[in-house]
Amino acid sequence: VCIHRVRSCSSIRFIKSKYVCVFDKSALKFSHQQRLFRTSAVSCGQIVQFKLSDIGEGITEVTVKEWYIKEGDSVSQFDSICEVQSDKASVTITSRYDGVIRKLHYSIDEIAFVGKPLVDIEIDASKGVAPEEDVVETPPMSHEEHTHQEIKGHKTLATPAVRRLAMENNIKLSEVVGTGKDNRILKEDILNYLAKQTGAILPPSPKAEIVPPLRKTEAGPAAPKDKARKIPVPVSRPIVFSGKDKTEPVTGFQKAMVKTMSAALKIPHFGYCDEIDLTQLVQLREELKPLAEIRGVKLSFMPFFIKAASLGLLQYPILNASLDENCQNVTYKASHNIGVAMDTEQGLIVPNVKNVQVCSVFDIAVELNRLQSLGSAGQLGTSDLTGGTFTLSNIGTIGGTYAKPVILPPEVAIGALGKIQVLPRFNGKGEVFKAQIMNVSWSADHRIIDGATMARFSNLWKSYLENPASMLLDLK
């Protein structure tokens, strides 16, 4: 009776004095502990430390750029937790649990380390979720965990059979574009992705891959308008002179540039320049632009430049190679992963179009549109920024005519494209005509590439662009 009376009181001082004599010190201590234990068991769940998993490419630390949640928020699986930025890409980390956020271990712009706690999540222990030690003791990301940590937090939809096929071929689902309903990844998507990685050519899918041209009155023009709204508009800011020096750490893409350009200084560069008459290509592009716009794709000159470079690399594979650190072995790359230098708010980035050797000009244009949209929004993934074998830098979009491009290791060649200018030139009859002229500046690794090889490749690339119809003979 006395113990029941103690539990029913809010404080021990409310107990009448005649009952106190019944208690000894141990009894009071026991009843008090029991009350606290019962309360904590009802109000608290299981706290799991969600650690930052390995995001690949040897990255060990990232910068926390934005939190999408705060302490006390409820989250579900695949909900975005935060955006982090490495020296190669921006990645959005998503939750693998249903629960409540109890603690954020980092503030904005702080450095987070792989394998260290990112957030504490309180989960419902009754749902049978794996205990903390089953989750946090393995920093490297497993195949199942790939579906929980993806670019910009998009949920990956796929059947268990498709996931198993991706796991058997060591493919990250976050790198595959789904063509099913709600962007669901199908078996054909995995096979097509695998074919692009290996360079194999698969039989055409029964599903039409190219949308037939639509009338202008239909939904065709809607796509360009939607894309135009996503382009960030620069905001003019007043210039403030504080009169004080400011020191900032080198982070993000600048940090990557320091590493790559320091390595590039070890390469003896050989330069070669030429001019290209793009008069016929300009006319061809004007004819094809409306067709591409109907399909929702912006057609620039770059897809032609990239495809012509790939056709040239088939004849001169030494330019699509890499040299080891000891300069003892040359690796000839089977895939033509041609990089395109882009100027973004985050700095200079070089995403690449994968397997250009098996892509059409239209396929390249579609991929470039995707890369440019993601680059403008700062959402390019690691897979888009790595694996390049050859690079083209279109400095002409800013206004330059000539450049001295720096090779991006481990590649061995790079080209810089100038702006297209209307200049007078002479034809075969000695008559002056208006020509569309573009200058190109090549840089090659002179340890394995001689000047004659670079010149012959440039001449072949030039002939494809000056006579674009000639590319039809070699297109595959």
Side-chain angles (χ1 to χ4, degrees):
V1 175
C2 295
I3 294 177
H4 176 72
R5 182 67 178 270
V6 170
R7 289 180 178 174
S8 64
C9 296
S10 59
S11 176
I12 193 67
R13 65 175 178 270
F14 292 129
I15 302 176
K16 294 182 179 180
S17 58
K18 65 179 180 179
Y19 292 107
V20 176
C21 62
V22 181
F23 289 87
D24 58 8
K25 185 176 181 181
S26 60
L28 285 172
K29 184 177 180 182
F30 173 77
S31 63
H32 182 63
Q33 286 179 340
Q34 287 291 329
R35 183 178 62 84
L36 291 180
F37 176 77
R38 288 166 61 89
T39 303
S40 61
V42 172
S43 62
C44 297
Q46 181 182 4
I47 302 296
V48 175
Q49 286 189 331
F50 181 43
K51 291 189 176 184
L52 178 62
S53 301
D54 184 8
I55 58 180
E57 300 297 330
I59 297 173
T60 58
E61 61 182 42
V62 295
T63 303
V64 178
K65 303 303 295 183
E66 183 179 359
W67 285 105
Y68 299 121
I69 44 87
K70 61 182 181 296
E71 294 181 0
D73 286 353
S74 298
V75 295
S76 301
Q77 292 187 43
F78 305 106
D79 284 352
S80 297
I81 292 180
C82 66
E83 179 181 353
V84 299
Q85 185 181 67
S86 67
D87 57 354
K88 296 181 179 180
S90 295
V91 178
T92 293
I93 308 300
T94 60
S95 175
R96 60 177 301 176
Y97 303 107
D98 298 332
V100 179
I101 302 296
R102 290 306 179 193
K103 181 179 179 181
L104 307 181
H105 286 269
Y106 300 98
S107 301
I108 299 296
D109 292 331
E110 282 190 347
I111 303 297
F113 297 92
V114 171
K116 299 297 182 180
L118 191 63
V119 295
D120 289 353
I121 304 179
E122 180 181 340
I123 61 176
D124 187 356
S126 63
K127 294 184 178 181
V129 182
E132 176 183 350
E133 52 269 22
D134 291 341
V135 178
V136 300
E137 293 299 329
T138 57
M141 189 165 49
S142 64
H143 291 290
E144 294 180 359
E145 195 172 343
H146 282 312
T147 60
H148 297 277
Q149 183 167 314
E150 299 165 1
I151 305 304
K152 297 311 291 179
H154 292 306
K155 181 178 179 180
T156 301
L157 298 177
T159 62
V162 172
R163 295 182 186 276
R164 183 171 62 253
L165 179 62
M167 182 178 64
E168 292 174 352
N169 291 277
N170 196 24
I171 296 176
K172 296 181 181 179
L173 291 177
S174 59
E175 299 176 0
V176 181
V177 178
T179 59
K181 183 179 179 181
D182 298 327
N183 296 324
R184 180 180 295 274
I185 297 177
L186 307 177
K187 179 181 178 181
E188 291 78 12
D189 300 328
I190 299 294
L191 296 178
N192 290 332
Y193 180 86
L194 185 62
K196 288 184 178 181
Q197 295 296 318
T198 58
I201 301 178
L202 295 180
S205 172
K207 181 179 179 181
E209 297 181 357
I210 299 179
V211 180
L214 302 175
R215 294 192 302 270
K216 293 185 178 180
T217 57
E218 295 182 15
K225 290 182 180 179
D226 293 338
K227 291 188 176 182
R229 287 197 295 266
K230 296 181 181 179
I231 299 177
V233 179
V235 179
S236 58
R237 297 183 178 89
I239 301 176
V240 179
F241 295 96
S242 61
K244 297 181 180 179
D245 296 341
K246 183 173 66 172
T247 302
E248 295 181 347
V250 179
T251 59
F253 295 137
Q254 286 184 335
K255 191 173 183 179
M257 186 183 297
V258 170
K259 294 179 180 179
T260 55
M261 293 300 101
S262 297
L265 289 177
K266 302 176 183 180
I267 300 175
H269 284 56
F270 168 79
Y272 180 83
C273 300
D274 201 356
E275 72 172 30
I276 320 295
D277 184 357
L278 299 180
T279 304
Q280 294 187 34
L281 182 60
V282 170
Q283 296 175 356
L284 177 62
R285 174 177 172 264
E286 289 299 321
E287 296 175 1
L288 298 179
K289 275 180 62 178
L291 297 177
E293 289 177 357
I294 290 176
R295 299 180 183 182
V297 176
K298 180 181 178 181
L299 181 63
S300 64
F301 289 103
M302 204 64 191
F304 297 96
F305 299 154
I306 292 174
K307 188 59 184 180
S310 177
L311 295 176
L313 293 176
L314 293 175
Q315 302 296 324
Y316 299 96
I318 186 64
L319 296 174
N320 195 62
S322 63
L323 185 65
D324 65 0
E325 294 182 359
N326 298 324
C327 301
Q328 300 296 320
N329 299 289
V330 178
T331 301
Y332 294 86
K333 303 294 184 177
S335 299
H336 296 173
N337 300 339
I338 299 182
V340 181
M342 293 183 181
D343 180 37
T344 67
E345 294 182 358
Q346 292 79 27
L348 177 66
I349 56 176
V350 189
N352 58 84
V353 181
K354 299 289 194 298
N355 296 290
V356 178
Q357 77 279 3
V358 294
C359 294
S360 66
V361 173
F362 182 78
D363 293 336
I364 299 171
V366 172
E367 181 67 3
L368 278 179
N369 280 207
R370 184 186 72 85
L371 295 175
Q372 289 167 351
S373 298
L374 294 178
S376 299
Q379 301 177 9
L380 283 169
T382 305
S383 60
D384 295 323
L385 296 169
T386 56
T389 61
F390 187 87
T391 298
L392 292 176
S393 176
N394 192 4
I395 193 65
T397 57
I398 301 177
T401 304
Y402 299 95
K404 186 180 179 181
V406 181
I407 299 171
L408 184 64
E411 300 172 16
V412 295
I414 185 175
L417 312 176
K419 62 182 179 181
I420 300 177
Q421 306 177 87
V422 180
L423 298 174
R425 289 296 183 266
F426 291 95
N427 59 19
K429 299 179 180 180
E431 300 170 343
V432 178
F433 71 99
K434 183 173 66 174
Q436 303 277 353
I437 301 299
M438 182 190 72
N439 296 97
V440 60
S441 305
W442 302 103
S443 290
D445 189 339
H446 213 354
R447 294 175 296 183
I448 59 173
I449 300 173
D450 54 45
T453 300
M454 190 73 253
R456 293 189 180 99
F457 167 82
S458 180
N459 290 337
L460 180 59
W461 181 76
K462 174 181 178 179
S463 67
Y464 284 132
L465 298 178
E466 291 187 339
N467 304 282
S470 65
M471 285 196 290
L472 296 175
L473 297 175
D474 297 321
L475 288 178
K476 298 181 180 180

